Amino acid sequence: MPRRAGLHPILQKYEQLKGQFKQNALSGDVTNVLQELYSEANSYLSHLDTEALTSDRLTKEYFAFKSNDGRKLSRAVNRNLYSTDPTIVLDFFDRIRNNDIEAQNVEEITKACYTIAIAFCSSIDMLKDNDPKTPGTFFEYFMGHLFAVQFGITPRNRVDVLNLDMRASLPTDFIFDLGDNRPKFHIPIKTSTRERVVQVWAHQRVLDGVYGTGRFLGLLSCLSETKLDHRTKVVTEICLPDQWRIYQLFISQLKRIYYLDMPVKYEELNEFFPRIHVKPFGEFFFEADELSL
Amino acid sequence: MPRRAGLHPILQKYEQLKGQFKQNALSGDVTNVLQELYSEANSYLSHLDTEALTSDRLTKEYFAFKSNDGRKLSRAVNRNLYSTDPTIVLDFFDRIRNNDIEAQNVEEITKACYTIAIAFCSSIDMLKDNDPKTPGTFFEYFMGHLFAVQFGITPRNRVDVLNLDMRASLPTDFIFDLGDNRPKFHIPIKTSTRERVVQVWAHQRVLDGVYGTGRFLGLLSCLSETKLDHRTKVVTEICLPDQWRIYQLFISQLKRIYYLDMPVKYEELNEFFPRIHVKPFGEFFFEADELSL
């Protein structure tokens, strides 16, 4: 791919990632470019100052990267999940290549993934003005690659609808089809959900309606739900647990919701009956084979 | 309300509209400020040049307002629906006041409403950069006022959910509750729908699930589905009729979809079985009493 003159190395690598993911989401080339992208972002961020933020959750501590002129802040970064030592991340990339991600434990996997994702997203916050699309697409491709590696297949993002006189093709989030007599996974990937999350339950309902309930297992996968007030420097977690319960009761049932930075209010949904299973993303790799049992 | 120094008269009136609508969506003050707002917008636009656009629909002709330096274009305006003569619009405002909107016919009502809505939205396109929120909120209040006048009640935008051990309050689009033994209306109002429209069917499904199917009638109300390519000056209608059919089959059933500028592809949905009833907005006033039959 020709290098675009003037494009920051992080954005150049990002363009490369997009091309390679579209070609083959499962390929080792995607792993390699993700690692290079992480190294670029990590080195870029290491030259920036940071500023401590105030969190509305007692158990969580956040900071933001700050431009050298002090005028620009990145999104909120969870201090306990962001690894300044790259070892755990480089180890994770090696595990992807060896197809034994489970050699790290849930906390290590979640931390490595959080660090990779937030390093890229924070870099974009600093390099571009008000661009939610680039971090969103990156996160989709990064997580999509991990699901592809674990399932050993590439995803689709359309399904055919053949129903009596109707023949249509429906755009969806990632669909991983493990083949006959095995589950199909419907995997929406979002940096954060907010009020638009009802879409996810609605698309699950369409899949249930068109193909029959239980044929597609929904695994919503998210980065975090933090919101940083740039004036007060306060980080809040925007959560709507009552609405999630209503969607899960009345629209459709998601099998799992995974987070890299698990919101406190959604973690509590594991305790209410009927439960919604919200888990740290690292757990996926240990339960992937049992989700259809 | 104190006038904000420096704010354009259109934006001042808009602030007034917001305040008055929130106070009482049914009040004659809302009608008055809507009329004043229309007059301000109409006079502002009458000093601008226009530019003809190319439409992808043979039956439709569009133009855009153009800033005097020629650098800025408004959204696409349907030439057959936009009335340059204000008589039909002023007549419509009088009808609102007399509560006899049906004295005009379907075409006249639709044309008057389209003119009022597009005059404000086009003015905002010219006065502000990249602000979809102001036209969206205006359109919600304008249409909300018309529904309120026709039903003779003010809307709510939350409903309580009481279900076994659960007690929650769900934010919704406008809800008009006509009382015992009469229908309740669920009325989402959008300047355009695009891919996020699945939310509307999902919210309808939640209402059906929580209260029972048939208790709430869904009336989605939209301005248009046009998209203007500012480089080529081509107007296209972005429509997803196959997806609408799938949503209507598998998520929930909307009773009506009303448009001010009816998209050709959605008009055709009236002809497919099972039908989705997509109509010019003016028809609402002639069938409002029969929608629950």
Side-chain angles (χ1 to χ4, degrees):
Chain A
M1 178 171 292
R3 296 207 146 203
R4 296 198 196 171
L7 213 53
H8 191 280
I10 292 178
L11 294 170
Q12 280 176 19
K13 284 279 165 217
Y14 167 68
E15 291 300 323
Q16 219 178 314
L17 170 67
K18 285 200 289 186
Q20 279 172 347
F21 185 90
K22 279 177 197 157
Q23 224 169 21
N24 179 359
L26 185 55
S27 138
D29 292 342
V30 177
T31 316
N32 294 341
V33 75
L34 279 166
Q35 179 167 346
E36 289 160 24
L37 195 43
Y38 161 70
S39 300
E40 290 284 1
N42 189 43
S43 126
Y44 170 72
L45 295 173
S46 67
H47 294 97
L48 298 180
D49 285 338
T50 63
E51 176 159 350
L53 305 170
T54 310
S55 168
D56 70 336
R57 302 294 170 198
L58 287 172
T59 53
K60 293 188 164 191
E61 231 180 288
Y62 288 92
F63 69 90
F65 292 100
K66 189 161 70 172
S67 62
N68 294 327
D69 64 5
R71 282 159 64 168
K72 212 168 172 183
L73 282 185
S74 75
R75 67 192 60 201
V77 180
N78 185 316
R79 203 181 285 281
N80 300 112
L81 286 171
Y82 184 74
S83 177
T84 45
D85 172 5
T87 315
I88 192 176
V89 177
L90 300 179
D91 194 34
F92 178 71
F93 279 116
D94 284 341
R95 302 282 164 220
I96 300 178
R97 284 189 196 92
N98 298 328
N99 211 350
D100 65 344
I101 293 176
E102 309 95 288
Q104 288 186 314
N105 66 29
V106 170
E107 287 67 35
E108 287 165 338
I109 296 169
T110 306
K111 206 167 164 176
C113 292
Y114 181 81
T115 304
I116 295 163
I118 212 83
F120 179 83
C121 296
S122 299
S123 299
I124 298 299
D125 293 343
M126 306 309 283
L127 291 168
K128 297 183 106 182
D129 288 317
N130 203 2
D131 171 10
K133 196 164 176 284
T134 301
T137 306
F138 167 82
F139 189 62
E140 223 175 289
Y141 289 179
F142 168 51
M143 297 290 278
H145 179 58
L146 300 180
F147 282 107
V149 167
Q150 189 65 19
F151 289 133
I153 49 169
T154 56
R156 279 178 298 138
N157 49 19
R158 297 197 80 85
V159 292
D160 289 325
V161 177
L162 301 169
N163 178 294
L164 302 176
D165 57 344
M166 193 169 59
R167 175 183 287 267
S169 164
L170 189 72
T172 60
D173 294 289
F174 289 138
I175 298 288
F176 289 91
D177 183 348
L178 302 194
D180 285 355
N181 203 27
R182 298 189 65 198
K184 299 175 203 320
F185 289 95
H186 163 226
I187 308 195
I189 295 171
K190 315 266 175 206
T191 52
S192 71
T193 64
R194 308 295 151 83
E195 62 287 332
R196 278 189 242 161
V197 75
V198 68
Q199 286 183 349
V200 172
W201 273 271
H203 285 141
Q204 180 66 40
R205 166 124 205 126
V206 168
L207 293 170
D208 291 350
V210 172
Y211 296 100
T213 305
R215 303 269 270 177
F216 284 81
L217 304 180
L219 312 179
L220 170 60
S221 304
C222 308
L223 175 47
S224 73
E225 299 294 353
T226 56
K227 189 179 174 225
L228 171 57
D229 183 322
H230 282 254
R231 199 179 49 78
T232 61
K233 312 277 158 72
V234 171
V235 184
T236 44
E237 281 188 339
I238 312 285
C239 293
L240 305 163
D242 284 342
Q243 289 182 39
W244 281 31
R245 294 191 67 203
I246 289 170
Y247 300 157
Q248 183 84 356
L249 282 169
F250 294 110
I251 300 181
S252 63
Q253 285 70 54
L254 298 181
K255 185 76 179 174
R256 287 288 183 277
I257 297 163
Y258 294 116
Y259 270 99
L260 294 182
D261 181 6
M262 180 96 119
V264 176
K265 284 283 162 205
Y266 289 152
E267 190 160 16
E268 292 169 7
L269 291 173
N270 290 290
E271 308 303 324
F272 284 105
F273 186 83
R275 300 179 210 290
I276 304 180
H277 298 281
V278 189
K279 301 190 171 190
F281 176 58
E283 294 208 13
F284 163 71
F285 298 92
F286 297 90
E287 64 181 12
D289 294 338
E290 288 137 46
L291 286 170
S292 60
L293 297 184
Chain B
M1 176 170 294
R3 293 209 149 203
R4 298 198 193 169
L7 213 53
H8 191 281
I10 292 177
L11 294 169
Q12 281 176 18
K13 285 277 165 218
Y14 167 67
E15 291 300 323
Q16 219 178 314
L17 171 68
K18 284 200 291 186
Q20 280 172 347
F21 185 90
K22 279 177 196 156
Q23 227 170 20
N24 180 358
L26 186 54
S27 139
D29 293 342
V30 177
T31 315
N32 294 341
V33 74
L34 278 167
Q35 179 167 346
E36 289 160 25
L37 196 42
Y38 161 72
S39 299
E40 289 284 1
N42 188 43
S43 126
Y44 170 73
L45 294 173
S46 67
H47 295 97
L48 298 181
D49 284 338
T50 62
E51 176 160 348
L53 304 171
T54 311
S55 167
D56 70 336
R57 303 294 170 199
L58 287 173
T59 52
K60 293 187 165 193
E61 229 181 289
Y62 287 93
F63 70 90
F65 292 100
K66 188 162 68 172
S67 62
N68 293 328
D69 64 4
R71 283 159 66 168
K72 214 168 171 182
L73 282 185
S74 75
R75 68 192 59 202
V77 179
N78 185 316
R79 201 181 286 281
N80 300 112
L81 287 171
Y82 184 76
S83 176
T84 44
D85 172 5
T87 317
I88 191 175
V89 176
L90 300 178
D91 193 36
F92 178 71
F93 279 116
D94 284 340
R95 301 283 162 219
I96 300 179
R97 285 191 195 91
N98 299 328
N99 212 349
D100 65 344
I101 293 177
E102 308 96 288
Q104 289 185 314
N105 66 28
V106 170
E107 287 66 36
E108 287 166 337
I109 297 170
T110 305
K111 206 167 166 175
C113 292
Y114 180 82
T115 304
I116 295 163
I118 211 81
F120 179 83
C121 296
S122 299
S123 298
I124 297 299
D125 293 342
M126 305 310 281
L127 291 169
K128 296 183 107 186
D129 287 317
N130 202 2
D131 171 10
K133 197 166 174 288
T134 301
T137 305
F138 166 83
F139 189 62
E140 223 175 289
Y141 290 180
F142 168 52
M143 297 289 278
H145 179 59
L146 300 180
F147 282 108
V149 167
Q150 188 66 18
F151 290 133
I153 49 169
T154 57
R156 280 177 299 137
N157 50 18
R158 298 197 79 85
V159 293
D160 289 326
V161 177
L162 301 168
N163 179 293
L164 300 176
D165 58 344
M166 193 169 59
R167 174 184 286 267
S169 164
L170 189 73
T172 60
D173 294 290
F174 289 137
I175 298 288
F176 289 90
D177 183 347
L178 302 194
D180 286 355
N181 203 27
R182 299 189 63 199
K184 298 174 203 322
F185 288 94
H186 163 226
I187 308 194
I189 295 172
K190 315 266 174 205
T191 51
S192 71
T193 66
R194 308 295 149 85
E195 63 286 331
R196 279 190 240 161
V197 75
V198 68
Q199 287 183 348
V200 172
W201 274 271
H203 285 141
Q204 180 66 40
R205 164 122 207 131
V206 168
L207 293 170
D208 291 349
V210 172
Y211 297 101
T213 305
R215 302 269 269 177
F216 284 81
L217 304 181
L219 312 180
L220 170 60
S221 305
C222 308
L223 175 48
S224 73
E225 301 293 354
T226 56
K227 190 178 171 227
L228 170 58
D229 183 322
H230 283 253
R231 199 181 48 79
T232 60
K233 312 278 158 69
V234 172
V235 184
T236 44
E237 281 188 339
I238 312 285
C239 294
L240 305 163
D242 284 342
Q243 291 182 38
W244 281 30
R245 294 191 66 202
I246 289 170
Y247 301 157
Q248 182 86 354
L249 282 170
F250 293 110
I251 300 182
S252 63
Q253 285 70 53
L254 298 180
K255 186 75 178 174
R256 287 289 183 276
I257 298 163
Y258 294 117
Y259 270 97
L260 294 182
D261 181 7
M262 180 95 120
V264 175
K265 283 283 162 202
Y266 289 152
E267 190 160 16
E268 292 169 6
L269 290 172
N270 290 290
E271 307 304 323
F272 283 106
F273 185 83
R275 298 180 212 290
I276 304 180
H277 298 281
V278 189
K279 299 190 171 190
F281 176 59
E283 295 208 11
F284 162 71
F285 298 93
F286 298 89
E287 63 181 12
D289 294 338
E290 287 138 47
L291 286 170
S292 61
L293 298 185

